[in-house]
């Protein structure tokens, strides 16, 4: 058992030590998909720490140290259930403000996750985002769009 566990550990230490000069952060950063790196770097550069609702974004919370609510997870859908099911635009806006949500990161047409956006397009929330009703486009990334609740 010890040999079965030791070999992968020794190999990982060897890779981090050799190719990355012992820099474990560089090793893990290399594992982040390119499609997310530009938005993580944007968050870091601008010091953004506000609650962000995401869809198809998996590494932002860890690498930018920002609180996220993921619409691709059960917990995120549960947290925003009332916002996603409401047809009352004033309520949706007020509730997002009350929850402290400031940003939305959604896949664009170049993303492999764009079809997930289409699943939500029938909701009033996503109609508001598309129409710019209390939402402003902040940045267009390679695979994502960033909106601010305004």
């Amino acid at each position: 058992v010890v040999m079965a566990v030791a070999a992968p550990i020794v190999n990982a230490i060897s890779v981090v030590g050799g190719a990355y000069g012992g820099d474990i952060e560089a090793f893990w950063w290399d594992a982040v998909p390119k499609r997310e790196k530009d938005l993580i770097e944007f968050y870091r550069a601008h010091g953004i720490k506000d609650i962000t609702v995401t869809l198809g974004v998996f590494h932002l919370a860890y690498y930018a140290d920002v609180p996220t609510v993921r619409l691709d997870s059960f917990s995120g859908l549960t947290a925003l259930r009332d916002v996603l099911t409401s047809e009352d635009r004033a309520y949706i806006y007020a509730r997002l403000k009350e929850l402290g949500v400031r940003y939305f990161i959604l896949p664009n047409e170049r993303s492999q996750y764009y079809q997930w956006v289409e699943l939500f397009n029938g909701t009033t929330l996503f109609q508001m985002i598309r129409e710019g009703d209390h939402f402003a486009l902040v940045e267009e990334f390679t695979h994502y769009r960033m909106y601010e609740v305004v």
Side-chain angles (χ1 to χ4, degrees), residues 46-103:
H46 292 84
I48 298 171
K49 298 296 180 192
D50 301 290
I51 297 172
T52 302
V53 175
T54 66
L55 182 61
V57 178
F58 307 101
H59 299 89
L60 181 66
Y62 178 78
Y63 285 96
D65 191 26
V66 61
T68 61
V69 179
R70 290 183 42 195
L71 292 178
D72 50 34
S73 74
F74 181 74
S75 61
L77 290 171
T78 303
L80 293 179
R81 182 179 64 115
D82 57 340
V83 172
L84 289 166
T85 58
S86 178
E87 294 180 9
D88 182 342
R89 290 173 179 243
Y91 172 78
I92 291 169
Y93 176 70
R95 182 73 174 133
L96 290 173
K97 287 297 207 179
E98 178 185 330
L99 293 171
V101 172
R102 183 154 178 206
Y103 297 106

